[in-house]
């Protein structure tokens, strides 16, 4: 670094250093904190006294870019220095920063001058990044165009030195030097321009400075080529051929002409018009839009009137020297399917009988179409789901014939739609509907909803009560559907059905003519016939099953233990009877149906409820404990037998039990074991016969009593034994009861009693009896003979 010192000596009130300037040179853009020089050494100052003498640095008319370290006397960079900001003008190539160093005790002032040296830190820059030029395509080559120059804030060799242009066939540049030494470029047209070939040229201009390394800046040059009317309008084709359907609506587009002009602006604005060679008929039929070139339908098109139209259209631009082009258009009118086919009904028979023969002709139809070609070819059809078909005849005639048997009851009439369609595109069609009515034939027998009727009638019904309506249905019409109802005669027990039942011949209502008793008649089975009024008449019958439903109109009858009407049954039992022993068994019968005749038993009154139990289903009375000395010797039991009807009916029996101290032979509960035929020896058979004779006297007494009650005498006869069973009684004196049958068998109980036990024989009874009670009479077991005899009750 060079240093220049000038010494000036002068005297004043302040003692100043000799008039000299210390000069330093530094490059711009040095980093902050960089040391410029040690001014203490350069000014021969004692570093140790700098603080004491309050050394300071003043910068004249500038920012504080530099400062002094008082500890070392070094001058350093406080803020980065930009030469272009410090010295913005290029009038002088030099740029200085003037400083004063001031010391006290004594006061001394030193002048320091720091020269800021330029570095190439700025690239050339154009005032505009994009340069627009408008050049007519008719401009001759060699023409020059001025371009804005680039500027570089650097100085000397670091400023703009030259320019470069991107490669172009049509343009080049020439670098010029101004009076101030600045460089600028001129654009030169090397080849003539054609806007239709290339309307815009994009160039890139580069400015390069002389620094090392060199810096550069660019600007984009956009050359817009201005148009001249040098191109005539052109059509896509010289001859256009167009097809259009007749009857096209007014305003329909025929063709959209599109002439093009390579020029722009008014030079490319086109107008369309008919030439003088276009016929007036054509101009009246079609409209030409002068701005868009669209040709639309203006009048009605009819293929039969006019089939081909020729026209010539001119397209002219609107340039100063107008240019034009022309084309020829041929419009062909195409025939369209604009006539609907027609149907003519030549013959139609209605109504017809439903039993008409197959292939019978019902109608004759003709069809026609005024169009030609495929548009005039027609087809006739009817719906597929009908029992008819069409037969084609010459000259577009069709016959409608029956293809399947007809049934008026399924379909009473047919709406036959004849549809005729031509083969045009799109096809046209027409239709006509005819109604075919069918006449009824008596071909259906009356039909009952059910093949078998089951009618339940409650007994004790009122005579003349309506039982049911047995109406049948006949799908025929008029007299063929009028039905009459009959009861087919059938005798039951010499009684005709017409005496028991009556049916209304018009509506089939069935009535009862008498009051029925379930205990006398259970059911009736007969037939009812329904007959129509056709010719010949048809009929059908149905089976009717009348079931008499039982009412609970019979109260239970107590048959065991047997006693005279209103009397009390007296029994004796030992006081030593064990717990659970069978004391007595109550048996009651009900002649109603099974549901109403289901009998249950219960105590109505009992002397000691803790002593006896009653099974509600089988009527067995058993001891619940052994007798004690506190128990009364006489026990009174009132048992009620109640049936299952609604309301329920009942009967009661009073049993008076007396306990005795006399020891008796214990008997076990009766058990029923099968008795084979070979058990009966001759001695046993005699014994049974003997005992049966004795019992028969008691049986006669019972029967007489019953006859007086029922006023009907019908003595029972024992049938031959079927299957015998023996009940041996040891500990108990009550035998088990047999079953009651409502259908086939009546049981009679024959009791042969000996001192050792009882023998029970079960036998079948004749069919047809109302009911039979089979039981074993109650025996006290105390006496040596039975207190009661076996009984058979028949009503």
């Amino acid at each position: 670094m060079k240093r220049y010192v000038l010494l000036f000596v002068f005297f004043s009130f302040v003692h100043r250093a000799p008039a000299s300037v210390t000069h330093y040179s530094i490059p711009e853009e040095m980093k902050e904190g960089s040391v410029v020089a040690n001014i203490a050494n350069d000014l021969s100052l004692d570093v140790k006294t700098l603080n004491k003498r309050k050394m300071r640095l003043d910068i004249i008319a500038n920012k504080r870019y530099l400062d002094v370290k008082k500890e070392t006397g070094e001058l350093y960079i406080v803020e980065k220095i930009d030469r272009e900001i410090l010295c913005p003008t290029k009038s002088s190539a030099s740029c200085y920063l003037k400083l004063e160093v001031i010391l006290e005790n004594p006061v001394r002032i030193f002048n320091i001058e720091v020269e800021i040296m330029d570095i190439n830190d700025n690239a050339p820059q154009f005032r505009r990044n994009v340069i627009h030029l408008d050049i007519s395509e008719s401009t001759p080559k060699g023409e020059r165009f001025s371009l804005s120059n680039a500027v570089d804030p650097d100085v000397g060799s670091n400023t703009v030195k030259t320019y470069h242009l991107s490669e172009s066939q049509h343009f080049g540049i020439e670098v010029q030097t101004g009076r101030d030494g600045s460089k600028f470029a001129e654009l030169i047209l090397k080849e003539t321009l054609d806007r239709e070939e290339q309307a815009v040229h994009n160039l890139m201009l580069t400015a390069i400075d002389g620094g090392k390394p060199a810096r550069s800046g660019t600007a984009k040059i956009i050359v817009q080529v201005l148009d001249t009317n040098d191109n005539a309008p052109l059509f896509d084709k010289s001859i256009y051929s167009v097809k259009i359907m007749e009857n096209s609506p007014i305003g329909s587009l025929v063709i959209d002409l599109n002439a093009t002009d390579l020029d722009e602006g008014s030079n490319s604005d086109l107008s369309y018009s008919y030439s003088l060679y276009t016929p007036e008929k054509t101009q009246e039929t079609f409209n030409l839009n002068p701005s868009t070139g669209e040709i639309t339908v203006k009048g009605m098109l009819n293929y039969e009137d006019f089939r081909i139209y020729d026209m010539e259209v001119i397209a002219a631009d609107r340039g100063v020297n107008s240019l034009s082009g022309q084309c020829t258009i041929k419009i062909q009118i195409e025939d369209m399917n604009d006539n609907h086919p027609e149907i003519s009904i030549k013959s139609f028979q209605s109504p017809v009988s439903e039993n008409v023969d197959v292939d019978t002709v019902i109608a004759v139809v003709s069809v026609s179409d005024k169009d030609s070609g495929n548009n005039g070819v027609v087809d006739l059809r009817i719906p597929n789901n009908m029992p008819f078909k069409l037969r084609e005849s010459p000259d577009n005639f069709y016959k409608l014939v029956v293809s399947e048997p007809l049934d008026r009851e399924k379909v009473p009439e047919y709406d036959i739609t004849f549809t005729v369609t031509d083969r045009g595109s799109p096809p046209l069609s027409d239709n006509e509907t005819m109604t075919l009515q069918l006449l009824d034939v008596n071909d259906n027998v009356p039909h009952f909803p059910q093949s078998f009727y089951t009618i339940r009638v409650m007994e004790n019904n009122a005579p003349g009560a309506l039982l049911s309506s047995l109406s049948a249905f006949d799908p025929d019409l008029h007299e063929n559907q009028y039905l009459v109802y009959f009861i087919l005669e059938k005798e039951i027990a010499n009684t005709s059905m017409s005496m028991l039942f009556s049916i209304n011949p018009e509506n089939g209502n069935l009535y009862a003519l008498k009051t029925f008793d379930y205990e006398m008649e259970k059911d009736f089975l007969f037939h009812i016939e329904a007959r129509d009024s056709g010719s010949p008449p048809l009929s059908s019958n149905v089976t009717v099953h009348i079931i008499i439903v039982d009412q609970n109109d019979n109260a239970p009858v107590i048959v065991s233990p047997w006693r005279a009407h209103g009397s009390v049954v007296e029994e004796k039992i030992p006081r030593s009877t064990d717990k659970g022993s069978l004391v007595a068994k109550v048996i009651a019968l009900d002649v109603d149906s099974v549901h109403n005749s289901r009998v249950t038993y219960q105590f109505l009154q009992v002397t000691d409820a803790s002593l006896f139990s009653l099974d509600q289903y089988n009527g067995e009375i058993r001891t619940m404990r052994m007798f004690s000395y506190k128990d009364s010797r006489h026990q009174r039991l009132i048992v009620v037998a109640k049936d299952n009807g609604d309301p329920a009916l009942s009967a009661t029996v009073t049993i008076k039990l007396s306990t005795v101290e006399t020891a008796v032979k214990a008997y076990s509960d009766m058990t029923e074991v099968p008795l084979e035929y070979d058990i009966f020896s001759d001695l046993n058979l005699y014994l049974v016969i003997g005992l049966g004779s004795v019992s028969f006297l008691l049986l006669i007494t019972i029967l007489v009593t019953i006859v007086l009650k029922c006023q009907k005498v019908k003595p029972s006869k024992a049938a031959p034994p079927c299957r015998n069973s023996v009940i041996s009684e040891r500990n108990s004196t009550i035998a088990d009861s047999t079953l009651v049958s409502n259908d086939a068998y009546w049981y009679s109980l024959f009791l042969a009693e000996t001192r050792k036990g009882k023998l029970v024989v079960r036998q079948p009874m004749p069919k047809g009896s109302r009911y039979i009670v089979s039981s074993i009479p109650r025996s006290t077991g105390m006496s040596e003979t039975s207190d009661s005899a076996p009984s058979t009750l028949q009503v």
Side-chain angles (χ1 to χ4, degrees), residues 103-116:
L103 298 172
E104 296 181 0
N105 299 321
V107 176
R108 295 189 65 182
I109 299 175
F110 298 94
N111 294 321
I112 298 175
E113 188 176 78
V114 180
E115 182 181 6
I116 307 302

Side-chain angles (χ1 to χ4, degrees), residues 26-36 59 62-67 76-87 95 97 114 116-117 119 121-122:
I26 62 172
E28 63 176 332
E29 305 291 341
M30 287 183 68
K31 294 182 180 180
E32 297 176 0
S34 300
V35 177
V36 177
I59 301 176
N62 281 292
K63 294 173 64 177
R64 191 175 185 82
Y65 291 105
L66 303 173
D67 203 354
Y76 66 94
I77 302 296
V78 176
E79 184 178 345
K80 187 181 290 185
I81 301 173
D82 189 347
R83 183 186 181 282
E84 287 73 33
I85 296 177
L86 187 62
C87 303
C95 180
L97 186 62
V114 180
I116 307 302
M117 307 298 292
I119 64 173
D121 60 342
N122 291 283

